[in-house]
Amino acid sequence: EAQVTQNPRYLITVTGKKLTVTCSQNMNHEYMSWYRQDPGLGLRQIYYSMNVEVTDKGDVPEGYKVSRKEKRNFPLILESPSPNQTSLYFCASSLSGLVGFYEQYFGPGTRLTVT
Amino acid sequence: GQQVMQIPQYQHVQEGEDFTTYCNSSTTLSNIQWYKQRPGGHPVFLIQLVKSGEVKKQKRLTFQFGEAKKNSSLHITATQTTDVGTYFCAGFGTQGGSEKLVFGKGTKLTVNP
C-alpha cells in the first residue's frame, strides 16, 4: 500500500531534550516536506527536499533541522525543543519536485507536546 | 510574498444546505489544489485546477478556478455529515524567483444532522 509513515504518532517531551520524528514513504517520491499545523494558522511549511541531499527552508524553519540521505526517509530533528514547538506535525511527499503540479500525500501526523 | 487567503474560517450548516469556501491569492497562480482533512485525520488531496476558468466536478463537489487565476472556490451541494472536516486550498506560484506551494488557512465545516 502506498503510504507515508511517521513515528512517533504522539510525543510528550521536556524543553531542551533533543528528539527526532521519522518520516518514510514507499512511493519513490522525489519531493518530501514537513509542515506544522496550529489552530487558526493552517499548514505552515518547515523544510522541504526536492531530492536526495537537497533540502531547503520553508516558511518556519527556526528550531528545526532535516536531512535527506535516502530517497524514502526525511527525518525532522528538534535539537532543543521549546514549548512554542508544541504542534501537530505532518510529513508529506510528492512524485516530483514540481510540487505544485503533483498531489501531496500526507502522513498520519505526529502530535508533539513540549513542556 | 505570495499569500493565499481562504474564507470563511468556519462554516456551520444544516444537513442538506449548500456550502462554499473561497480562496484568494495575492499573485497569479500556476495552479491550485484542494485538500480535505477530516477531524483527527491528515489532509487528503481532492483535486487540482490548472486552466483559467476551469470548472471540475466530483459528485456533489464543484471546483472553480478564476479567469485571472487568482481565486478559486469549492462548492458542496446538499451537504452530508460525511462532508465534515477542514478544506484547504493550496496555490502554486512564483515567489521571490522560486516556485512555492502556499496553503490557505482552511475552512472548517461542521454539519448539523
Side-chain angles (χ1 to χ4, degrees):
Chain A
E1 180 192 354
Q3 60 182 351
V4 178
T5 56
Q6 294 179 230
N7 282 291
R9 295 287 314 279
Y10 303 90
L11 179 60
I12 301 174
T13 190
V14 295
T15 299
K17 186 176 181 182
K18 180 180 178 179
L19 67 93
T20 299
V21 183
T22 64
C23 173
S24 183
Q25 51 92 4
N26 62 1
M27 295 170 279
N28 201 34
H29 284 173
E30 290 185 348
Y31 180 92
M32 296 186 75
S33 178
W34 276 102
Y35 295 89
R36 61 177 289 174
Q37 185 174 33
D38 303 288
L41 297 179
L43 289 159
R44 293 182 294 167
Q45 191 177 52
I46 303 170
Y47 269 95
Y48 65 94
S49 169
M50 302 285 262
N51 214 324
V52 176
E53 301 291 0
V54 181
T55 62
D56 211 343
K57 295 177 181 179
D59 297 316
V60 289
E62 294 78 21
Y64 304 95
K65 285 175 58 177
V66 293
S67 68
R68 186 94 181 270
K69 294 186 172 68
E70 306 164 284
K71 200 170 189 178
R72 64 182 294 126
N73 296 323
F74 190 45
L76 178 70
I77 303 156
L78 284 72
E79 294 269 2
S80 183
S82 62
N84 65 13
Q85 292 178 298
T86 292
S87 187
L88 177 59
Y89 292 86
F90 287 104
C91 179
S93 74
S94 180
L95 179 64
S96 166
L98 293 175
V99 63
F101 290 89
Y102 295 93
E103 65 181 281
Q104 288 195 80
Y105 292 80
F106 283 80
T110 295
R111 186 166 293 282
L112 172 66
T113 302
V114 184
T115 61
Chain B
Q2 179 185 330
Q3 295 184 40
V4 175
M5 308 298 292
Q6 193 171 352
I7 57 170
Q9 190 174 359
Y10 302 96
Q11 184 75 61
H12 179 76
V13 299
Q14 289 292 127
E15 189 171 21
E17 292 182 339
D18 292 356
F19 159 77
T20 304
T21 174
Y22 301 90
C23 208
N24 294 291
S25 171
S26 56
T27 59
T28 302
L29 300 170
S30 298
N31 58 34
I32 195 159
Q33 298 176 345
W34 285 91
Y35 292 79
K36 176 184 178 181
Q37 183 179 20
R38 295 182 188 274
H42 58 276
V44 175
F45 176 83
L46 293 177
I47 207 159
Q48 176 171 273
L49 305 172
V50 179
K51 299 176 184 175
S52 168
E54 189 169 15
V55 178
K56 286 189 176 180
K57 292 190 175 184
Q58 289 180 349
K59 298 182 181 178
R60 295 178 294 103
L61 278 61
T62 301
F63 304 84
Q64 294 190 347
F65 200 12
E67 293 288 342
K69 299 185 75 173
K70 295 181 76 172
N71 57 73
S72 181
S73 65
L74 158 59
H75 179 82
I76 302 178
T77 304
T79 54
Q80 300 175 358
T81 54
T82 53
D83 295 324
V84 163
T86 301
Y87 294 84
F88 292 96
C89 62
F92 186 64
T94 301
Q95 177 184 344
S98 61
E99 292 175 314
K100 276 180 74 75
L101 185 70
V102 177
F103 279 82
K105 292 183 179 177
T107 296
K108 184 175 183 179
L109 171 66
T110 54
V111 179
N112 199 30

